């Protein structure tokens, strides 16, 4: 039933899932099944339903050819069908057909063991996304840090510190580029004033200035682009980590896998008012905004307009 399923987001799938054409398919959600009637993707290696942390899947016998489809049963209930080719049973003979069922948590190591046992691409039932090659090592490191620290919140802090240390050389290059741009800023302003009525000449002189001073205005942007997949992979690892489910951190944070339970709009739970998710602003959100503002203030300001936009 979709009532008990987690929400389906653009970066984490919840709904019908299956192996079709040697690829795990995340294309359909419950609304698609409602709108299109029975959805029949075709020959399948396994088929079922998933949300962020849980998976139920029917796995056909290795030697059998099976078709899979999804259908709505009404009242927000859904069914995945596994249909085998018809078999003619001669008189006095019998035929045995084996179908396996998986129902449980999407623990990466467990799913990988099933894949090693012959269930094709079962480890990809976790929606790793484009950066799977990077998300999986980060998730592994997060689990190891949790085993070391004994507190998942502390493990997240340690992981963030490690990621920052790894990216420190990139940050240094970014700061060096900003410093170089700031050093030539007076010369750039002089050129802009001298050729304010001749934009092509102004641009040409600025490019010549970059060459003389050996400054690349885009050098400060490249580290930012390189950091984007790293932080996305960190965010994705936190989204997918079932090890974080029901794990406390400190004070009122008793489950790191759910949103901050305290909200300003209902006076931290004192008022009988369920705050809509887009208005659910709590202490953690304000703390994040404050720390990001301080980070912007502590970082050197970019002088080049392109770097400022980035």
């Amino acid at each position: 039933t979709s009532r008990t399923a987690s929400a389906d987001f653009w970066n984490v799938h919840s709904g019908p899932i299956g192996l079709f054409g040697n690829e795990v398919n995340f294309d359909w959600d419950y609304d698609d099944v409602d709108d299109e009637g029975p959805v029949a993707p075709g020959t399948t290696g396994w088929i079922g339903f998933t949300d962020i942390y849980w998976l139920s899947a029917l796995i056909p016998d290795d030697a059998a050819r099976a078709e899979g489809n999804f259908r709505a049963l009404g009242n927000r209930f859904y069914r995945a069908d596994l249909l085998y080719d018809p078999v003619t049973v001669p008189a006095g003979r019998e035929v045995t057909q084996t179908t396996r069922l998986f129902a449980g948590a999407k623990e990466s190591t467990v799913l990988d063991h099933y894949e090693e046992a012959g269930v094709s691409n079962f480890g990809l039932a976790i929606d790793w996304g484009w950066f799977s090659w990077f998300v999986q090592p980060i998730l592994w490191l997060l689990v190891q840090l949790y085993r070391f620290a004994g507190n998942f919140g502390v493990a997240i802090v340690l992981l963030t510190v490690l990621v920052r240390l790894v990216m420190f050389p990139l940050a240094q290059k970014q700061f060096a580029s900003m410093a170089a741009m700031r050093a030539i800023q007076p010369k750039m302003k002089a050129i802009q004033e001298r050729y304010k009525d001749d934009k092509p000449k102004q641009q040409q002189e600025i490019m010549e200035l970059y060459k003389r001073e050996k400054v690349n205005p885009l050098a400060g942007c490249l580290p930012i682009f390189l950091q984007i997949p790293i932080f996305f992979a960190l965010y994705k690892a936190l989204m997918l980590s079932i090890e974080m489910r029901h794990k406390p951190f400190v004070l009122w944070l008793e489950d790191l896998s759910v949103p901050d339970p305290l909200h300003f709009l209902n006076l931290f739970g004192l008022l009988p008012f369920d705050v809509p998710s887009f208005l659910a602003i709590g202490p953690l959100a304000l703390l994040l905004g404050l720390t990001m503002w301080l980070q912007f203030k502590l970082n050197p300001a970019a002088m080049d307009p392109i770097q400022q936009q980035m």
Side-chain angles (χ1 to χ4, degrees):
T1 175
S2 61
R3 288 190 181 90
T4 56
S6 58
D8 182 44
F9 296 106
W10 65 272
N11 58 343
V12 179
H13 176 69
S14 178
I17 188 176
L19 178 66
F20 304 100
N22 296 322
E23 292 184 359
V24 179
N25 193 298
F26 300 95
D27 291 345
W28 302 283
D29 57 25
Y30 293 111
D31 291 336
D32 294 329
V33 180
D34 286 330
D35 296 339
E36 300 180 19
V39 177
T43 303
T44 182
W46 49 268
I47 187 173
F49 298 96
T50 185
D51 63 8
I52 294 180
Y53 295 135
W54 313 103
L55 170 69
S56 59
L58 295 172
I59 306 166
D61 186 35
D62 293 338
R65 174 182 173 84
E67 300 285 324
N69 65 47
F70 305 100
R71 65 181 66 241
L73 303 179
N75 198 26
R76 298 179 66 180
F77 282 89
Y78 302 87
R79 189 178 79 190
D81 295 327
L82 194 61
L83 308 174
Y84 294 100
D85 288 340
V87 177
T88 301
V89 182
R93 303 289 297 274
E94 64 179 30
V95 173
T96 301
Q97 185 71 64
T98 301
T99 301
R100 288 170 287 175
L101 169 67
F102 175 90
K106 293 198 297 184
E107 297 183 56
S108 178
T109 53
V110 173
L111 298 182
D112 288 342
H113 287 320
Y114 276 90
E115 188 168 334
E116 293 168 1
V119 184
S120 299
N121 292 334
F122 211 50
L124 298 181
I126 299 176
D127 188 7
W128 298 109
W130 294 344
F131 301 107
S132 60
W133 56 274
F134 198 63
V135 177
Q136 290 175 283
I138 286 183
L139 181 57
W140 176 87
L141 179 58
L142 178 62
V143 173
Q144 302 308 311
L145 290 173
Y146 168 61
R147 292 173 179 172
F148 166 77
N151 182 296
F152 216 94
V154 174
I156 294 173
V157 173
L158 293 175
L159 178 62
T160 305
V161 171
L162 289 177
V163 170
R164 277 295 189 184
L165 289 175
V166 170
M167 293 192 304
F168 182 74
L170 292 177
Q172 282 293 90
K173 290 183 178 180
Q174 182 182 353
F175 295 152
S177 175
M178 290 179 178
M181 290 296 299
R182 188 165 53 252
I184 66 171
Q185 194 66 19
K187 297 180 181 179
M188 287 183 62
K189 288 184 177 180
I191 293 174
Q192 290 168 352
E193 286 294 326
R194 187 181 310 161
Y195 301 103
K196 61 182 178 181
D197 297 326
D198 188 351
K199 294 299 182 181
K201 181 65 175 178
Q202 179 188 114
Q203 191 65 27
Q204 181 181 351
E205 289 296 322
I206 290 177
M207 294 304 296
E208 289 295 330
L209 176 64
Y210 288 156
K211 290 181 181 179
R212 288 196 305 271
E213 301 292 339
K214 297 181 180 179
V215 173
N216 184 355
L218 298 179
C221 301
L222 181 60
I224 298 176
F225 280 115
L226 293 177
Q227 293 177 51
I228 290 175
I230 296 174
F231 279 108
F232 181 80
L234 177 59
Y235 169 73
K236 188 85 170 183
L238 295 177
M239 287 285 291
L240 298 174
S241 174
I242 191 172
E243 291 84 0
M244 189 168 65
R245 183 173 180 266
H246 295 335
K247 293 297 189 297
F249 182 26
V250 293
L251 302 176
W252 72 94
L253 299 173
E254 298 179 354
D255 187 352
L256 288 171
S257 65
V258 300
D260 188 348
L262 300 187
H263 309 302
F264 289 104
L265 291 182
N266 63 1
L267 297 181
F268 307 111
L270 295 178
L271 298 178
F273 170 59
D274 291 331
V275 180
S277 59
F278 66 95
L279 293 175
I281 300 174
L284 290 182
L286 290 185
L287 182 61
L288 173 62
L290 176 62
T291 53
M292 291 188 69
W293 179 79
L294 289 174
Q295 183 179 351
F296 285 132
K297 287 296 183 181
L298 291 174
N299 287 342
M303 304 303 296
D304 181 69
I306 296 178
Q307 292 189 20
Q308 289 178 0
Q309 293 177 9
M310 289 302 299

